Amino acid sequence: MQKQVFSALLLTAGFILTTVTACKKDNDNTVTDPNVELAAQALRGQQLVTSSFGIALRGADEADGFASQGADDRCGTLTITPLDPNAFPKVVTVDFGTGCTDNDGKFKSGKVILSFGKIWEPGSEVSVEYDNYTEDGAQLSGKIVLQNQSTQSAGVFTILAQNIQAADANGYTLGYNATETFTQTAGFATWWDHNDDVYDISGSANAVLTNGETVDWTIQTPLVKAANCFWVSAGTGLLNINGLAVGVDYGDGTCDNKATLTINGQTYVVTL
């Protein structure tokens, strides 16, 4: 059970970390509404956790002693302090050095640092912080706190994104705060295998974009995040960008990097 809860907690850390990096627009209209780019920027806040999924899961596996110490297709080096499996608290550092391409295709540099106590116990917390960490040229700072609120029958975790700041090479910036709940819907019984885990995500967030635009983000139907997919594959939400309503639909469950925006009756597809 220790690994299952640890993996789940750290998996959720991943879900606030990916976005500032690359939201290219592909839309189904010949004329692009300028609000599409604002919405894409705002969605980077929700996607910010996705790449940390892989980073955090790696830390979970290694710290719990379930992962092979041999070479794999993930870049960077991981250290655990202290190594004694019975000694807490622990610090797990994933160091990408001056930069390398990870198995999710993203170029990462710097460090991600996770600190935790006996995180399999309900009420415990994990903190995730960044040390000069960049992803595809976007630099991240701030802190994510994960709280274990699990029950006997399901993993339940609340994630707090605290003053996350992101800036990319194109001059886009994002300030992001969120409170979201991850509820496990599959894989709880097979606690030794995180690959079949699936989470429903609910909650809300607020963000400030490059030019001071304010954004409120509310999840309307739970977002679906499977451990074996880099992306949110289903679920809907509503962005409010300076009073403009933008509908967001992540799709039908297919594992892809697409989302559909609806703005003033027009639809646009963005690639995250």
Side-chain angles (χ1 to χ4, degrees):
M1 179 62 73
Q2 174 178 348
K3 174 182 175 290
Q4 188 247 347
V5 175
F6 189 17
S7 297
L9 277 166
L10 295 176
L11 273 174
T12 44
F15 208 67
I16 296 179
L17 193 128
T18 305
T19 13
V20 105
T21 57
C23 228
K24 295 189 233 174
K25 292 177 300 202
D26 294 323
N27 61 65
D28 55 6
N29 294 303
T30 55
V31 178
T32 300
D33 187 318
N35 289 300
V36 171
E37 176 57 30
L38 294 180
Q41 289 182 47
L43 286 179
R44 292 170 187 153
Q46 180 60 65
Q47 197 63 23
L48 269 183
V49 187
T50 304
S51 111
S52 278
F53 255 39
I55 297 170
L57 178 58
R58 181 180 181 182
D61 284 345
E62 301 263 2
D64 246 0
F66 280 80
S68 169
Q69 300 298 317
D72 59 21
D73 61 350
R74 298 170 296 189
C75 74
T77 58
L78 185 146
T79 58
I80 304 163
T81 306
L83 285 173
D84 182 349
N86 297 312
F88 291 92
K90 289 186 184 296
V91 175
V92 175
T93 301
V94 185
D95 187 351
F96 297 97
T98 57
C100 56
T101 300
D102 210 355
N103 65 346
D104 59 1
K106 296 185 178 296
F107 187 82
K108 302 170 183 178
S109 64
K111 300 176 182 179
V112 178
I113 302 169
L114 304 102
S115 304
F116 51 89
K118 296 181 179 180
I119 44 63
W120 59 90
E121 296 179 351
S124 60
E125 293 186 348
V126 178
S127 68
V128 181
E129 298 183 83
Y130 312 106
D131 181 0
N132 200 32
Y133 176 74
T134 66
E135 186 173 296
D136 284 350
Q139 187 158 10
L140 294 170
S141 63
K143 184 178 182 179
I144 296 170
V145 176
L146 300 98
Q147 300 173 340
N148 183 355
Q149 299 177 342
S150 298
T151 67
Q152 291 294 323
S153 58
V156 181
F157 312 97
T158 295
I159 186 166
L160 308 173
Q162 302 174 340
N163 194 31
I164 299 295
Q165 301 291 323
D168 71 7
N170 297 317
Y172 292 122
T173 61
L174 173 72
Y176 188 76
N177 291 276
T179 301
E180 297 184 354
T181 298
F182 288 64
T183 302
Q184 192 169 6
T185 59
F188 193 76
T190 53
W191 57 266
W192 59 90
D193 181 9
H194 61 76
N195 289 306
D196 61 356
D197 293 351
V198 180
Y199 291 87
D200 277 359
I201 305 163
S202 59
S204 60
N206 59 76
V208 178
L209 305 183
T210 307
N211 295 319
E213 300 92 348
T214 59
V215 179
D216 292 319
W217 165 240
T218 303
I219 297 171
Q220 295 181 311
T221 60
L223 308 185
V224 177
K225 177 65 179 70
N228 61 4
C229 177
F230 287 130
W231 312 100
V232 173
S233 59
T236 63
L238 183 68
L239 290 167
N240 185 309
I241 305 174
N242 289 341
L244 174 70
V246 178
V248 180
D249 188 339
Y250 281 95
D252 60 3
T254 301
C255 179
D256 61 30
N257 60 348
K258 307 292 185 182
T260 300
L261 308 179
T262 302
I263 304 173
N264 294 324
Q266 298 293 314
T267 59
Y268 305 85
V269 175
V270 291
T271 301
L272 301 173

